[in-house]
Amino acid sequence: MGRRERKKAATRKALADAALRLFIEHGYDAVTLHDVAEAADVSTTTLLKYFPSKEALVFDEEADQEAALVSAVRDRTPGTTIPQALRAHVKRVRIRPADPDAHSEPGTGYGDFFDLVVGTPALSDYGHRMWMRRQDALARTIAEDTGAPSDDLRSAALARFALEASAFARAAADAEQALDAAFDLLENGWSATGSRA
């Protein structure tokens, strides 16, 4: 990475870190784009070159999210089904994040980030839309892994339902139990649940 790219990456990180710190300290709605730009010592115009919206400041790892989903399918251990791999991944990143310091700005752990997103409707909605944008890439990966055509409807349905399961689970009193119920259904089908038709 050249000097210019390093400088851009540093500016992007400074903006994202400043935004997260301010949002956690003062609340998302109380902080303006100008506040974030000032805290990172750049202009608002510069901020908008890096992040097209206030919500985007919070979600600065979108490409990583897609790569991790694809990897959950491609790099799963032998004997692990695709739904099992996706269940474990969704549980780890959307229900009970495993890395408490994923956003390592001093004083802002991942728990704070997670609470901010879940507790702010605008961020929760944006995060869900961003998460669902991974559907096509995940469907293609599932199809490729199973030898199905790239436009396979079963692969697309599994990708859609696996991604939507996190929103379903977060709305439940016991998110982990709800996620397990959703993935049990994806893995085994309705008839295997023992429920009456």
Side-chain angles (χ1 to χ4, degrees), residues 40-107:
D41 197 27
V42 300
S43 69
T44 304
T45 303
T46 297
L47 181 152
L48 290 169
K49 288 179 184 175
Y50 288 88
F51 296 96
S53 69
K54 187 176 170 183
E55 294 90 351
L57 279 160
V58 178
F59 299 97
D60 61 329
E61 297 170 351
E62 191 169 354
D64 295 341
Q65 192 179 79
E66 183 170 306
L69 266 169
V70 166
S71 177
V73 172
R74 284 190 181 148
D75 302 331
R76 67 191 189 280
T77 56
T80 302
T81 67
I82 291 173
Q84 288 168 344
L86 289 172
R87 177 196 314 234
H89 180 75
V90 171
K91 195 175 282 189
R92 186 174 57 254
V93 302
R94 301 285 288 180
I95 303 303
R96 53 177 166 85
D99 182 0
D101 297 314
H103 276 268
S104 56
E105 175 74 11

Side-chain angles (χ1 to χ4, degrees), residues 110-121:
Y110 194 77
D112 294 328
F113 167 79
F114 197 71
D115 292 344
L116 173 70
V117 171
V118 171
T120 309

